Amino acid sequence: MIVESMNAVPTSAHTSRNGLATKNIRKMLLTFAITLLGLAAVVLCYLIYPGTPSKSKVMTFDGFIELPRSGLLTVLDYLTVNDQTLFVTSESSGALFKIAFDSSDLRASTVSEMPGAGAAHGVALVPELKVAFITRSDANTVDVFDPRSLQQLASIPVADDADAILYIPSAKLVYIAHGDANMATLIDPEKRATVGNIQLPGKPEFPAIDSGSGLLFQNLKDANEVAAIDVGHRSVIGQWPLAPCEGPSGMAIDSEQRRLFAVCSGNAKLVVFDLERHRVITTLGVGGGPDSVAFDRGNHRIYTAGRTGEMTVIQQDDPDNYRVLDRVHTHYGAHTLTVDPVSHRIFVAYASLLAHPRIAVFSAAR
């Protein structure tokens, strides 16, 4: 005799439950996929659409200057302003953009483009010779061009990773920092040739000239230090820690008040360094991933920009006291800026995805 278990479940019931479980799993997976797509769409819109910067009590947003688009992604790098003209480099395409300002309407400014091979970084102008220099890290060259016509005049081979560049009028030399090579190159702008090298005790990021002492100060990203360089003697004459700064990148100098400002990409800080006592005197928090800093001597204001899309505005009350006035939200990847010492306008370079790259223009409100 066969006895059937009272707990036995019919095959049709098993099938029904399994089917219901499979449907529930499918619904959960579909909901999860839709949620991910929605989040991805929100992130993509945020990266693509360059919205109006957040309102500020101390800054006025004057509008955007749109630049030509080349490729899906455009990453802008250094900005150099001089005599109603702004030069902007593209790290992604190698192009150089020249913006000739329209005094009545900035948005009507004329934009010219000089294409180039290899990631473009810094620009140094030599007004007395009516020439300019641009670094190209991929090509390992410093190109010479006419800043009026944007015609290339020469190309000078240099060491790897040519990045930051500046002209030293007192020495009549162009200084180029090479991050990977831990060195600097000196170029005679009249001869358009390399005339010397300086070995550095770390990886250089941004240099700045102290007009008071005539020394060049160079931050060292891997050492978290700043070095003083006597360019005439081709030698490093001092080296000091910037702690608690981690990964010093952009730098600016207030020669009159004997202060150096360095932003720290590793821990989102700005440190104020005393050029006489050679020590950090104060530290302030700034936007994430700070890459550049600019000092407006006329307004005694410091501006920083970082990859998270925040421009931090800092007031210098006196040489030893500083306070954050505002944190202006710009756009993700807007990590470089410069300030015009005459008009006191601030220019912030926006990275762009599937859109035209652009420069956000601000005025300092009192």
Side-chain angles (χ1 to χ4, degrees), residues 66-148:
E66 195 172 275
L67 304 178
R69 174 185 162 191
S70 59
L72 298 177
L73 174 67
T74 302
V75 179
L76 303 177
D77 206 357
Y78 289 85
L79 297 92
T80 305
V81 64
N82 181 67
D83 191 25
Q84 292 295 304
T85 305
L86 178 69
F87 294 92
V88 185
T89 59
S90 172
E91 185 176 352
S92 52
S93 71
L96 169 71
F97 301 106
K98 175 185 175 181
I99 303 170
F101 298 134
D102 185 312
S103 57
S104 59
D105 184 1
L106 281 174
R107 288 167 292 186
S109 299
T110 303
V111 179
S112 306
E113 180 179 359
M114 181 180 79
H121 297 290
V123 171
L125 303 171
V126 185
E128 60 264 37
L129 297 178
K130 297 180 180 179
V131 296
F133 297 78
I134 181 171
T135 56
R136 299 191 180 280
S137 60
D138 289 345
N140 297 328
T141 62
V142 173
D143 291 347
V144 189
F145 68 95
D146 183 334
R148 296 161 298 179

Side-chain angles (χ1 to χ4, degrees), residues 228-274:
I229 301 171
D230 185 327
V231 175
H233 289 88
R234 316 290 202 260
S235 62
V236 176
I237 63 170
Q239 188 176 343
W240 305 277
L242 289 174
C245 183
E246 296 177 9
S249 50
M251 183 169 59
I253 287 179
D254 176 4
S255 294
E256 182 180 343
Q257 305 284 2
R258 313 302 300 137
R259 296 293 181 262
L260 179 150
F261 312 112
V263 287
C264 317
S265 60
N267 57 350
K269 294 183 182 299
L270 176 134
V271 296
V272 181
F273 181 83
D274 189 321

Side-chain angles (χ1 to χ4, degrees), residues 3-185:
V3 180
E4 293 185 0
S5 170
M6 296 295 293
N7 296 323
V9 180
T11 303
S12 60
H14 273 297
T15 303
S16 177
R17 289 181 180 178
N18 289 338
L20 183 60
T22 301
K23 286 182 179 179
N24 287 336
I25 291 172
R26 286 176 178 172
K27 284 183 179 179
M28 290 174 62
L29 290 175
L30 182 60
T31 302
F32 182 66
I34 291 173
T35 302
L36 283 181
L37 287 173
L39 289 173
V42 170
V43 171
L44 191 61
C45 288
Y46 173 71
L47 293 176
I48 292 174
Y49 180 68
T52 302
S54 62
K55 292 188 179 298
S56 171
K57 294 180 180 179
V58 298
M59 303 290 291
T60 300
F61 176 58
D62 297 329
F64 291 114
I65 298 175
E66 195 172 275
L67 304 178
R69 174 185 162 191
S70 59
L72 298 177
L73 174 67
T74 302
V75 179
L76 303 177
D77 206 357
Y78 289 85
L79 297 92
T80 305
V81 64
N82 181 67
D83 191 25
Q84 292 295 304
T85 305
L86 178 69
F87 294 92
V88 185
T89 59
S90 172
E91 185 176 352
S92 52
S93 71
L96 169 71
F97 301 106
K98 175 185 175 181
I99 303 170
F101 298 134
D102 185 312
S103 57
S104 59
D105 184 1
L106 281 174
R107 288 167 292 186
S109 299
T110 303
V111 179
S112 306
E113 180 179 359
M114 181 180 79
H121 297 290
V123 171
L125 303 171
V126 185
E128 60 264 37
L129 297 178
K130 297 180 180 179
V131 296
F133 297 78
I134 181 171
T135 56
R136 299 191 180 280
S137 60
D138 289 345
N140 297 328
T141 62
V142 173
D143 291 347
V144 189
F145 68 95
D146 183 334
R148 296 161 298 179
S149 65
L150 296 186
Q151 179 184 356
Q152 183 169 324
L153 305 174
S155 185
I156 306 168
V158 292
D160 291 349
D161 196 20
D163 191 3
I165 183 172
L166 59 77
Y167 174 56
I168 310 171
S170 59
K172 297 189 182 302
L173 291 171
V174 175
Y175 174 98
I176 301 99
H178 302 268
D180 292 342
N182 285 18
M183 62 172 288
T185 296

Side-chain angles (χ1 to χ4, degrees), residues 249-250 263 286-294 303-312 330 333-338 346-349:
S249 50
V263 287
V286 297
D291 190 32
S292 63
V293 57
Y303 303 95
T304 75
R307 295 189 184 278
T308 57
E310 179 186 299
M311 177 173 63
T312 308
T330 54
H335 63 103
T336 56
L337 55 71
T338 192
I346 300 89
F347 304 93
V348 183

